[in-house]
């Protein structure tokens, strides 16, 4: 990577503050959706509410129209059980015992916040609870590595080792990513890696860290809708994500409703 293209990865304080504003709206959306996740609700209903909240705050749903096999049709991706990422909201009704991963991007004044969580629907089983806990913990293990002078490989390895120490797996084809004015900017941040390797983290980088975790194997496949990614063996999956700024004071989570709470 040349110096000039690397420079573009560095955001000014003003830009980071703008991303934080986008991240706050995004956090609000996800909090509201989290509260609505109950047996009997359709994923389409969640999507409609998310879009309304974003537009009420003068934002734009980042995912809607995102290029792919065909433009992504919705505000949220909602992925249930074996669905890992990119599930398309529909008339599907959430059932007691499901686990649901919700991913949302909000563009506000040209800057993007990208974040995701997984939650159980009603009462869920022990394996589901453990998977959600380990996936969430692995996100924070990755975030804790995000200091200037560390490498992408430190973040990746922290996620991978936490996940694999619990007997779970990370996918190889789906990664975290730089984010800013565009949803996917360099660098890619895999959920597996070697400490000390990969790009050096520098103050002003803004990166979406997003561990995806599979119970059975690391293999995935894409459904015939061409978007939904599932575990190849149909085992359970979970996904957590935050957009983070690398600062001299350490990692700053931009997609929480209050500062680093
Ligand atoms: Mg996301
Ligand atoms: Mg992302």
């Amino acid at each position: 990577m040349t110096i000039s293209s690397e420079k573009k990865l560095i955001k000014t304080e003003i830009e980071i503050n703008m991303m934080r504003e986008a991240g706050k709206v995004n956090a609000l959306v996800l909090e509201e959706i989290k509260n609505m996740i109950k047996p009997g609700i359709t994923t389409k209903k969640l999507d409609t509410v998310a879009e309304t909240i974003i537009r009420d705050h003068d934002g734009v749903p980042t995912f809607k129209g995102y290029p792919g096999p065909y433009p992504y049709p919705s505000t949220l991706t909602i992925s249930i059980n074996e669905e890992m990422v990119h599930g398309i909201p529909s008339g599907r009704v959430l059932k007691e015992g499901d686990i649901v991963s919700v991913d949302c991007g909000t563009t506000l004044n040209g800057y993007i916040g990208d974040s995701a969580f997984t939650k159980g629907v009603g009462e869920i089983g022990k394996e589901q609870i453990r998977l959600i806990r380990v996936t969430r913990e692995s996100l924070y293990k990755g975030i804790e590595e995000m200091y200037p002078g560390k490498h992408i490989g430190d973040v990746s390895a922290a996620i991978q080792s936490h996940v694999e120490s619990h007997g779970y797996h990370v996918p190889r084809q789906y990664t975290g990513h730089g984010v800013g004015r565009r949803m996917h900017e360099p660098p890619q941040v895999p959920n597996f890696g070697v400490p000390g390797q990969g790009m050096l983290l520098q103050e002003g980088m803004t990166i979406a860290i997003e561990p995806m975790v599979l119970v059975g194997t690391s293999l995935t496949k894409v459904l015939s809708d061409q978007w939904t990614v599932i575990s190849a063996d149909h085992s359970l999956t979970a996904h957590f994500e935050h957009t983070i700024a690398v600062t001299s004071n350490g990692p700053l989570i931009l997609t929480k409703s209050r500062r680093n709470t």
Side-chain angles (χ1 to χ4, degrees):
M1 176 158 299
T2 63
I3 288 171
S4 64
S5 62
E6 203 168 293
K7 259 187 183 168
K8 284 188 217 155
L9 307 181
I10 307 298
K11 272 77 176 180
T12 64
E13 208 177 316
I14 291 169
E15 288 181 300
I16 289 173
N17 283 334
M18 291 181 77
M19 288 182 66
R20 183 157 174 71
E21 292 308 310
K24 270 189 204 165
V25 174
N26 206 61
L28 212 104
V29 173
L30 290 182
E31 271 170 30
E32 183 63 30
I33 298 305
K34 207 176 278 176
N35 292 333
M36 290 177 70
I37 289 178
K38 295 205 168 71
I41 196 162
T42 68
T43 55
K44 183 71 200 160
K45 173 67 185 170
L46 299 176
D47 192 67
T48 304
V49 169
E51 178 165 6
T52 301
I53 297 171
I54 292 173
R55 297 203 188 277
D56 282 352
H57 288 80
D58 300 319
V60 176
T62 313
F63 298 175
K64 208 167 195 177
Y66 195 81
Y70 50 92
Y72 189 75
S74 305
T75 294
L76 302 175
T77 70
I78 305 183
S79 311
I80 303 169
N81 299 331
E82 76 276 12
E83 298 172 357
M84 186 180 78
V85 287
H86 306 166
I88 301 173
S90 68
R92 182 168 173 180
V93 175
L94 297 184
K95 295 197 316 286
E96 180 105 14
D98 285 339
I99 59 171
V100 190
S101 301
V102 179
D103 196 343
C104 187
T106 297
T107 308
L108 186 69
N109 299 317
Y111 287 87
I112 293 167
D114 184 11
S115 181
F117 69 85
T118 300
K119 189 190 170 191
V121 181
E123 289 247 333
I124 57 172
K126 274 192 184 134
E127 182 71 73
Q128 282 86 344
I129 291 170
R130 182 172 183 264
L131 172 66
I132 291 172
R133 174 179 62 78
V134 169
T135 308
R136 187 175 184 281
E137 285 168 355
S138 71
L139 168 62
Y140 287 92
K141 296 281 181 189
I143 291 172
E144 281 166 19
E145 296 294 319
M146 296 187 70
Y147 282 81
K150 291 265 197 171
H151 292 259
I152 296 289
D154 296 317
V155 179
S156 300
I159 293 169
Q160 181 182 18
S161 69
H162 190 69
V163 170
E164 292 183 351
S165 73
H166 288 82
Y168 295 142
H169 305 269
V170 290
R172 297 300 189 264
Q173 304 97 318
Y174 301 91
T175 70
H177 50 91
V179 55
R181 284 187 167 274
R182 286 177 300 130
M183 186 162 75
H184 294 110
E185 300 181 347
Q188 283 197 348
V189 184
N191 293 309
F192 61 97
V194 177
Q197 289 195 357
M199 189 186 284
L200 193 65
L201 293 176
Q202 296 173 62
E203 200 179 334
M205 284 182 172
T206 48
I207 296 175
I209 301 295
E210 49 180 316
M212 294 154 241
V213 177
L214 306 96
V215 168
T217 78
S218 62
L219 302 177
T220 57
K221 60 185 181 188
V222 179
L223 292 184
S224 59
D225 68 16
Q226 300 180 73
W227 275 104
T228 310
V229 179
I230 68 165
S231 56
D233 64 354
H234 293 257
S235 64
L236 288 172
T237 66
H239 177 210
F240 278 84
E241 176 179 29
H242 269 308
T243 300
I244 317 294
V246 178
T247 81
S248 55
N249 295 322
L252 177 64
I253 300 176
L254 302 175
T255 38
K256 286 199 166 180
S257 45
R258 279 173 291 145
R259 197 177 179 88
N260 270 8
T261 55

